Amino acid sequence: MKIKRSWIIIGVIVIFGLIVYSSVKNSYNKMVRMEQSVEEQWSQVETQYQRRTDLIPNLVSTVKGYAEHEQETFQKVAEARSQAASTDINANNLSPEKLQQFQQAQGALSSALSRLMVVVERYPQLKANQNFRDLQAQLEGTENRISVARRRFNQAVQQYNTYIKQFPQTFYANMFGFEEKAYFESQEGADQAPDVQF
């Protein structure tokens, strides 16, 4: 009787251990997969921003041919491009502060590009140039791709963050060092309509 009870206790402990092991293993593997998904989506965001950065020199060169006296605008675009290209974060270090720095650099580049487009408006012959129109179309397409990549990144981050905050995954996430990832957020003032004056 005593031996039978010992085997039952051992059996219950082994079964409980297997259940705990299975839960930890499955949760850990799912967190790894979800973190990899966040990293993959981040690489898509970086790829689209890099595409935009690569288009800018060609766009500026084309505009320079028509508007040589707009040197200050060209300088601001070059500086913003340089700043955006040098702001480097990776998917393993997506803290809110780092992501905000990245967004600010990209926002400054967007602002500089907007000023460049204002310059373009003063030169109708430039707007008629096929090379410029092709570059502008590529830039617009890239901006759309950036928007899609950011949205997909935020979705992957939302799924990951939600999962690691749920019970019992929150314990496993803390145990194995899985940390919450930052989201892309809209720029301050994006909720306000721009003031357009003619």
Side-chain angles (χ1 to χ4, degrees), residues 113-125:
L113 282 173
S114 294
R115 286 192 296 275
L116 183 64
M117 291 302 136
V118 168
V119 167
V120 168
E121 291 299 319
R122 295 185 216 144
Y123 299 92
Q125 69 277 21

Side-chain angles (χ1 to χ4, degrees), residues 171-191:
F171 296 116
Y172 305 148
N174 288 334
M175 186 185 334
F176 294 115
F178 288 93
E179 296 179 355
E180 188 174 351
K181 305 288 186 191
Y183 292 94
F184 267 107
E185 297 177 5
S186 61
Q187 296 294 325
E188 191 173 315
D191 57 338

Side-chain angles (χ1 to χ4, degrees), residues 79-149:
E79 289 170 2
R81 179 181 181 269
S82 175
Q83 179 65 32
S86 68
T87 304
D88 186 34
I89 62 174
N90 62 45
N92 296 324
N93 190 15
L94 287 175
S95 68
E97 297 80 23
K98 294 254 186 207
L99 192 56
Q100 184 178 14
Q101 288 174 345
F102 182 83
Q103 281 186 261
Q104 286 173 343
Q106 294 299 333
L109 182 55
S110 294
S111 179
L113 282 173
S114 294
R115 286 192 296 275
L116 183 64
M117 291 302 136
V118 168
V119 167
V120 168
E121 291 299 319
R122 295 185 216 144
Y123 299 92
Q125 69 277 21
L126 172 60
K127 290 181 0 184
N129 178 290
Q130 184 62 44
N131 188 33
F132 174 77
R133 288 196 322 237
D134 291 346
L135 287 168
Q136 189 176 23
Q138 287 182 41
L139 187 60
E140 288 170 2
T142 299
E143 292 296 337
N144 290 335
R145 288 185 185 111
I146 288 170
S147 177
V148 168

Side-chain angles (χ1 to χ4, degrees), residues 57-71:
N58 294 332
L59 190 63
V60 169
S61 292
T62 303
V63 174
K64 270 185 180 180
Y66 287 87
E68 290 184 22
H69 62 280
E70 302 285 352
Q71 224 33 55

Side-chain angles (χ1 to χ4, degrees), residues 151-189:
R151 183 174 36 81
R152 287 180 180 163
F153 170 78
N154 277 349
Q155 288 170 343
V157 168
Q158 185 269 331
Q159 290 171 351
Y160 169 81
N161 286 347
T162 300
Y163 186 76
I164 68 168
K165 288 180 179 180
Q166 293 175 343
F167 180 82
Q169 288 82 6
T170 187
F171 296 116
Y172 305 148
N174 288 334
M175 186 185 334
F176 294 115
F178 288 93
E179 296 179 355
E180 188 174 351
K181 305 288 186 191
Y183 292 94
F184 267 107
E185 297 177 5
S186 61
Q187 296 294 325
E188 191 173 315

